[in-house]
Amino acid sequence: MKIGVIGAGNIGSALAGHFRRLGHSVLITNSRGRESLSQVAQETGATPVDISETARRVDLLVIAIPMKSVPSLPKDLLSGLPASSPIVDTGNYYPLRDGAIPEIESGMIESEWTSRVLGRPVIKAFNSIVADSLLHQALRRGSKGRIALPVSGDDLKSKQRVMALVDKMGFDVIDAGPLSESWRYQPGTPAYCPDPTIDQLPVLLRRAIRDKAPCNRDQAAKIMAKLPLDFSPQELVRVARLSAGLDTWKPKSWIAVCCIWVSRLCGLNVAPLVRQGTSYLSNSGQNHDETESPRTLCSCPFPYSAHRSDAGNICKSNPGRQRSPRRQSGDRAGHEAVSRRDPRS
Ligand SMILES: NC(=O)c1ccc[n+]([C@@H]2O[C@H](COP(=O)([O-])OP(=O)(O)OC[C@H]3O[C@@H](n4cnc5c(N)ncnc54)[C@H](OP(=O)(O)O)[C@@H]3O)[C@@H](O)[C@H]2O)c1
């Protein structure tokens, strides 16, 4: 397939790398133009292009940019995109980063808003997994603890094509129904970023409470904003699992919660220290990799604009990766459901 990826940040580059590994040709772009994408091209094997070329005659298009940026996409961007080519929406709405979007604030489903702005149907996928897990937790089909992802949309053929891709990338996948049901894995819901298995995911989707999600999301976002930059995404996923009612009896789940509260209070990332100290406690770590591989994406769990780290513009956990001053967004808050007690309760 020829795949276009708009957005070359955490999610866009993680997906581009996966698609390249599957042998697809990948065009990738960002807001600053192809010249700024040499490192991403080197790391992913994708071809940097200017935004106007990304959707031209591709078989599948991925939108991996902050939701606030969707309206600023060129109006004729999709004129060259065949009607049969699915558009994948990976977006999550964070008022703190995106500013208040009135339609969504009054209840519109995030991907329905994106579809309306684009003027084309979309398939919602890859929004409910943190970039770090997307990059490092892919497993062969049939493997124990393989992470399952929900995919939803109104066009069955398009949805099935995306679901087949998810499976080939290394994740189990379930049909989460029409786009009108995609709220069940928006930020603030149980199915948002706990890296569930194929048995756990349907239960979590059913447990979603629509009215509670925005409050849960914002509560957790406030907690995230106070966490040290280099807080590990896998620690946050561990707490998201706990909040979703998974791993309740795993000591490391509660240790991760403690780490968050102590780190918040003292502003230092105590997780690595605690991890070393307790590593013998249990080797549970179900499909959670304790050690971060050198390719680990920036572990900052929250939109940069809300973090205290602007000065360096360099991501502590990935010193080789220079962050452009313009890049103010990007939410690693995928793993945002964190608090001692589930903020959504
Ligand atoms: N990070 C995660 O773990 C995660 C997980 C699931 C879903 N998501 C969702 O995925 C989306 C992207 O998040 P991210 O973490 O990948 O963000 P990110 O790391 O900040 O990357 C954002 C990318 O979008 C590009 N961009 C911004 N505005 C654009 C525009 N108008 N036209 C073209 N490109 C534009 C940026 O380009 P410049 O650098 O040139 O500005 C950058 O390459 C968000 O909606 C987020 O909620 C994120």
Side-chain angles (χ1 to χ4, degrees):
M1 275 201 291
K2 188 177 174 189
I3 301 177
V5 179
I6 301 180
N10 296 296
I11 284 290
S13 57
L15 288 171
H18 270 294
F19 300 152
R20 284 296 297 137
R21 268 189 294 284
L22 291 172
H24 299 299
S25 70
V26 179
L27 309 178
I28 195 163
T29 194
N30 61 7
S31 70
R32 291 164 293 143
R34 67 175 81 196
E35 304 71 35
S36 67
L37 289 169
S38 53
Q39 184 180 343
V40 170
Q42 194 198 334
E43 289 176 358
T44 63
T47 307
V49 293
D50 292 329
I51 190 153
S52 56
E53 299 162 58
T54 327
R56 201 173 298 148
R57 289 190 296 284
V58 296
D59 304 304
L60 185 134
L61 181 69
V62 175
I63 310 283
I65 62 177
M67 287 188 72
K68 67 177 179 186
S69 303
V70 174
S72 65
L73 291 172
K75 295 297 170 258
D76 62 350
L77 174 69
L78 303 179
S79 55
L81 182 71
S84 60
S85 298
I87 299 176
V88 177
D89 172 27
T90 70
N92 292 312
Y93 172 55
Y94 283 93
L96 196 78
R97 173 199 60 201
D98 300 313
I101 299 176
E103 297 89 341
I104 300 180
E105 290 296 325
S106 32
M108 181 181 264
I109 290 168
E110 296 173 13
S111 280
E112 288 186 339
W113 177 85
T114 301
S115 172
R116 191 156 68 151
V117 172
L118 295 175
R120 294 274 288 254
V122 300
I123 301 290
K124 190 180 187 75
F126 305 116
N127 74 298
S128 61
I129 183 169
V130 296
D132 187 79
S133 293
L134 185 64
L135 201 60
H136 300 302
Q137 308 287 347
L139 289 175
R140 272 183 226 295
R141 190 179 303 141
S143 307
K144 183 172 173 297
R146 197 188 198 208
I147 296 172
L149 299 180
V151 173
S152 60
D154 302 329
D155 179 81
L156 189 57
K157 215 155 157 274
S158 295
K159 191 161 47 177
Q160 285 168 341
R161 283 176 70 186
V162 176
M163 289 174 72
L165 195 55
V166 171
D167 176 46
K168 289 210 178 75
M169 287 165 60
F171 302 92
D172 284 342
V173 61
I174 70 162
D175 181 342
L179 206 61
S180 59
E181 284 297 296
S182 64
W183 64 270
R184 290 180 178 281
Y185 51 104
Q186 286 180 182
T189 59
Y192 184 69
C193 293
D195 290 357
T197 59
I198 193 81
D199 309 327
Q200 295 161 341
L201 182 53
V203 180
L204 298 180
L205 289 170
R206 279 197 299 278
R207 277 187 37 223
I209 304 171
R210 190 160 178 181
D211 303 344
K212 278 198 168 181
C215 165
N216 296 339
R217 172 200 64 210
D218 298 342
Q219 253 185 1
K222 290 193 190 91
I223 293 169
M224 286 295 109
K226 294 194 175 59
L227 276 179
L229 244 188
D230 57 352
F231 205 88
S232 146
Q234 288 310 325
E235 230 80 32
L236 299 169
V237 170
R238 203 178 277 290
V239 176
R241 289 178 65 80
L242 195 60
S243 310
L246 307 174
D247 298 354
T248 315
W249 300 110
K250 290 211 167 107
K252 284 192 175 174
S253 306
W254 295 100
I255 289 167
V257 172
C258 302
C259 290
I260 289 212
W261 282 99
V262 174
S263 299
R264 273 195 66 209
L265 295 172
C266 67
L268 287 174
N269 180 8
V270 299
L273 273 177
V274 173
R275 210 182 306 143
Q276 267 136 27
T278 59
S279 62
Y280 62 82
L281 267 184
S282 76
N283 56 6
S284 57
Q286 180 193 353
N287 73 34
H288 293 295
D289 175 355
E290 291 296 341
T291 53
E292 296 188 13
S293 72
R295 172 82 183 74
T296 299
L297 283 167
C298 165
S299 64
C300 166
F302 205 73
Y304 264 73
S305 53
H307 248 81
R308 300 180 301 254
S309 65
D310 300 3
N313 278 332
I314 291 182
C315 167
K316 285 191 197 155
S317 63
N318 198 352
R321 184 159 203 166
Q322 178 73 26
R323 284 198 162 278
S324 79
R326 285 180 50 207
R327 277 191 68 192
Q328 292 296 326
S329 70
D331 91 322
R332 282 156 191 86
H335 23 62
E336 92 266 21
V338 173
S339 79
R340 183 170 299 284
R341 223 174 47 74
D342 180 358
R344 290 166 285 193
S345 55

